[in-house]
Amino acid sequence: MTAANDQPGLDEIGTPLAEVSFCVVDLETTGASAESAITEIGAVLVRGGEVIGEFQTLVNPNDHIPALISVLTGITNQMVADAPRLGQVLGPFLEFARGAVLVAHNARFDVGFLKRGCSTHETAWPGFPVVDTVSLARHCLLRDEVPNCKLSTLAAHFTATTTPDHRALSDARATVDVLHGLLERVGNLGVSTLEDLLEFTRKVSPQRRAKRVWVQDLPAAPGVYAFHRDSPTENDSGTGEREILYVGKSKNIRQRVRSYFTSSEKRGRMEEMVRVASGVDCWPCATELEAEITELRMIAAHQPRYNRRSRNQDRQLWLKLTREAFPRLSIVRTVRDDDRFLGPFSSRATAVQVTMALQDAFAVRRCSTRLSARAASSSCALAEMGRCLAPCELGDNLEEYSQVVEQIRAALDSDTRLVVRTVGARLSLLAEQQRYEEAGTVHERLQDYLRSAIRHQRLLSVAGCAEIVAARHVGEGWEIHVVRHGRLAGAGWAARGDIPQAVARHAVATAQTVLPPPAGLPACSTEETKRVAHWLEQPGVRLISIEGEWCWPLHTGPGPGDLPRAVTVGSAS
């Protein structure tokens, strides 16, 4: 499904500026600090270029007005002595401005005073949309047109009918004329709706906003979207090539894509991506999980230049026990059916940490020298320190080394108890010797090992099942997924009134055929299987049918949060 440069639909146009009510407000205060008080409020309500009403009142600030402020505004202490307090004025003003867009010259100042006043008098702030004529002028007027953006300067530039004089109502009337002059200017830049105006003041370029029409035909449903660029060159078939620039997913495709053309998208690389893109494609999905998996697969297939995550799903490492005369631990990129391994690891640093955790627990050799089972060779310093059983010497330790290798196999396969017990004893000794920094390092290695063991079993347990059909009640329907050897093979959505079992049977019948993968690994990227496993483990998921055993070994290990208790119990035993 493709969204191109079509005319926008009615729901995408927004509110025309001619239909918007603007409440242009100005305040006079006792000063510029947050502790200052309001002395006068003036406001003008306009719509379609016509004045609908005006609001003006002095306000008793319950404080002394500085002489300099009195000279500037002409408002004296005697003038406000009998004026209403702010608490009496706020209600009528908010009612006057109800449903309008607040407009002010340097809106942060005026709106800030109004918000603080509402907070002080426990009055709810309505959350008006706000337009700042200073910001608007800076965006659409050139420096050679006006030397600055003061109200008096802009009023003279647009030949306002009222001259600002630092009284609230007069300044508000002058701001009305400035607003109308600015709206004429931005109208030439494609700003015709309130939504356009608000985005324009937030520094969203006209070129970026103009592409919002791409959203028109996108569905408000879960799925995947892709920004693309059409190459000007032609391939052998005579058609231009299409480059995928960015792939994303969302619960609501239309709403998410629309955000790229507004100020809510603040990432610089995304603004650049939208600028060079020539269109958006989308693929609606039955469920959110299907959208997640489709996004992963598309990123892996197209390697979009603006995607940073999930680009290197195949770059993973494994820790395995080598198949040689005297096996050792080795970090590799691939494993085979007959390997004993643990993983995958997304970084070499984590793989090294887990390797060192196992080396802390077992006196396995650490050298990479290819040893002979018949010819002895000299041992290294680790053997002299008691950290290696030195099988290279072909001495009396060979049988003990064989036992260590079997223990490592168990630690890689399923049983973490011996590692926890052995390392726990070492941690206790380090703590007694007050070697806390070294103990912290050993503890972190053990945590990494336990996380890896749990993740390893989590992936293999799902991958080992030829088929899992499960459902989960979400909102007004049921998500239904078919998982084969860890790969999402099919998905369906049973809406209210549908029969979930019938939808499940259809999903199974139309699901992808998945062959058993080698070494018991998932038949897809491990990232995909992790997403699938996470969904299966959510509360409320119900198994419809299963082929295989979805289970973990009994002694896979405690979670990292339970590690202190497990270490204490293990070392005591």
Side-chain angles (χ1 to χ4, degrees):
M1 185 174 185
T2 304
N5 293 323
D6 299 325
Q7 293 298 318
L10 291 177
D11 60 335
E12 302 298 332
I13 292 177
T15 306
L17 291 175
E19 300 177 9
V20 177
S21 296
F22 293 100
C23 180
V24 184
V25 63
D26 186 80
L27 306 180
E28 300 302 331
T29 64
T30 60
S33 68
E35 291 74 25
S36 301
I38 298 173
T39 59
E40 186 178 28
I41 300 177
V44 181
L45 192 63
V46 295
R47 183 191 301 122
E50 297 183 1
V51 175
I52 299 175
E54 292 184 341
F55 181 97
Q56 188 276 333
T57 180
L58 291 170
V59 180
N60 188 336
N62 197 29
D63 196 5
H64 176 73
I65 301 177
L68 182 61
I69 299 297
S70 291
V71 171
L72 179 66
T73 65
I75 301 175
T76 64
N77 291 308
Q78 291 78 8
M79 292 172 61
V80 299
D82 297 327
R85 300 290 177 87
L86 183 60
Q88 300 171 282
V89 171
L90 279 175
F93 170 73
L94 295 178
E95 183 62 30
F96 175 79
R98 180 189 297 273
V101 175
L102 281 190
V103 180
H105 199 72
N106 189 16
R108 179 178 297 181
F109 177 87
D110 299 275
V111 175
F113 269 93
L114 291 172
K115 284 184 176 180
R116 285 192 294 272
C118 287
S119 176
T120 301
H121 294 87
E122 298 182 350
T123 301
W125 176 252
F128 298 103
V130 177
V131 173
D132 187 353
T133 49
V134 172
S135 176
L136 196 57
R138 287 173 179 169
H139 282 81
C140 67
L141 295 180
L142 302 178
R143 182 59 64 90
D144 58 358
E145 292 184 89
V146 290
N148 56 60
C149 290
K150 295 180 179 178
L151 179 58
S152 57
T153 302
L154 296 179
H157 178 73
F158 290 111
T159 61
T161 56
T162 303
T163 301
D165 58 1
H166 296 290
R167 289 299 300 269
L169 186 56
S170 297
D171 287 2
R173 289 169 176 169
T175 305
V176 168
D177 292 335
V178 170
L179 173 66
H180 288 159
L182 292 173
L183 291 181
E184 289 182 10
R185 290 295 298 269
V186 298
N188 297 327
L189 299 176
V191 175
S192 60
T193 67
L194 174 62
E195 291 73 15
D196 291 342
L197 181 63
L198 295 176
E199 293 301 331
F200 185 87
T201 60
R202 295 165 186 161
K203 300 182 180 181
V204 178
S205 67
Q207 295 81 6
R208 183 172 159 194
R209 291 196 325 274
K211 293 183 177 181
R212 69 193 185 280
V213 296
W214 294 351
V215 179
Q216 176 185 355
D217 294 329
L218 298 181
V224 176
Y225 57 90
F227 286 85
H228 63 79
R229 180 175 65 175
D230 295 329
S231 173
T233 61
E234 293 187 350
N235 55 28
D236 295 337
S237 62
T239 59
E241 295 181 355
R242 174 170 292 184
E243 177 189 3
I244 300 297
L245 299 174
Y246 182 79
V247 176
K249 62 169 175 55
S250 178
K251 300 177 182 178
N252 186 320
I253 298 176
R254 176 183 296 179
Q255 182 177 342
R256 182 67 184 97
V257 174
R258 181 188 292 135
S259 69
Y260 287 92
F261 311 116
T262 68
S263 60
S264 61
E265 179 52 73
K266 302 183 184 301
R267 293 172 293 177
R269 63 190 179 91
M270 289 294 100
E271 182 172 359
E272 176 184 315
M273 182 273 295
V274 173
R275 186 171 65 251
V276 301
S278 57
V280 182
D281 295 334
C282 77
W283 295 266
C285 297
T287 66
E288 293 180 27
L289 177 62
E290 186 184 17
E292 285 188 42
I293 302 306
T294 303
E295 178 195 34
L296 284 176
R297 294 174 183 174
M298 289 188 63
I299 292 175
H302 297 283
Q303 294 292 298
R305 67 171 69 180
Y306 290 97
N307 281 96
R308 291 182 177 175
R309 297 182 180 178
S310 305
R311 284 171 56 91
N312 302 313
Q313 300 173 43
D314 295 331
R315 293 184 184 178
Q316 50 197 15
L317 300 171
W318 308 84
L319 177 61
K320 79 167 188 175
L321 194 63
T322 61
R323 292 177 292 121
E324 51 187 318
F326 302 108
R328 58 187 175 84
L329 293 169
S330 177
I331 299 173
V332 297
R333 293 195 176 276
T334 59
V335 290
R336 303 191 307 188
D337 284 344
D338 52 351
D339 285 336
R340 295 294 180 87
F341 59 88
L342 184 66
F345 302 96
S346 58
S347 68
R348 179 169 289 274
T350 305
V352 170
Q353 285 285 85
V354 174
T355 303
M356 296 179 72
L358 293 173
Q359 291 171 344
D360 287 339
F362 305 109
V364 63
R365 74 183 183 97
R366 307 186 185 187
C367 62
S368 58
T369 306
R370 192 169 188 84
L371 302 180
S372 172
R374 297 181 180 180
S377 58
S378 58
S379 61
C380 60
L382 289 175
E384 297 177 4
M385 298 169 57
R387 305 292 294 276
C388 176
L389 292 175
C392 53
E393 295 179 345
L394 302 182
D396 298 334
N397 292 333
L398 291 183
E399 183 176 351
E400 186 177 354
Y401 193 83
S402 297
Q403 294 176 356
V404 166
V405 170
E406 289 302 317
Q407 291 170 344
I408 292 178
R409 287 195 177 101
L412 294 176
D413 287 345
S414 60
D415 197 341
T416 63
R417 290 177 298 174
L418 184 57
V419 178
V420 172
R421 183 160 54 260
T422 305
V423 177
R426 186 183 176 195
L427 283 172
S428 299
L429 179 61
L430 292 173
E432 291 175 3
Q433 297 173 350
Q434 298 185 356
R435 296 159 62 183
Y436 300 120
E437 185 174 349
E438 185 177 351
T441 301
V442 174
H443 184 266
E444 289 178 2
R445 294 173 185 169
L446 183 56
Q447 281 187 316
D448 285 337
Y449 162 69
L450 289 175
R451 290 192 189 99
S452 301
I454 292 173
R455 183 172 60 249
H456 178 77
Q457 295 300 334
R458 184 189 190 197
L459 295 179
L460 294 190
S461 64
V462 176
C465 295
E467 181 178 277
I468 300 176
V469 183
R472 177 170 177 256
H473 190 264
V474 178
E476 298 295 325
W478 288 85
E479 294 178 333
I480 298 173
H481 295 123
V482 181
V483 180
R484 291 173 176 169
H485 296 294
R487 180 183 179 89
L488 182 64
W493 171 258
R496 175 182 288 185
D498 294 339
I499 301 175
Q501 293 83 350
V503 176
R505 287 193 295 269
H506 181 267
V508 171
T510 58
Q512 298 174 344
T513 299
V514 180
L515 299 177
L521 296 174
C524 55
S525 69
T526 54
E527 182 67 26
E528 176 175 335
T529 303
K530 283 196 292 185
R531 305 284 182 94
V532 169
H534 174 73
W535 183 86
L536 288 171
E537 294 162 3
Q538 290 186 83
V541 172
R542 301 183 184 182
L543 292 178
I544 297 176
S545 64
I546 184 170
E547 296 180 20
E549 295 183 356
W550 179 33
C551 61
W552 293 7
L554 178 61
H555 302 297
T556 295
D562 299 327
L563 184 56
R565 180 176 58 83
V567 167
T568 303
V569 173
S571 59
S573 60

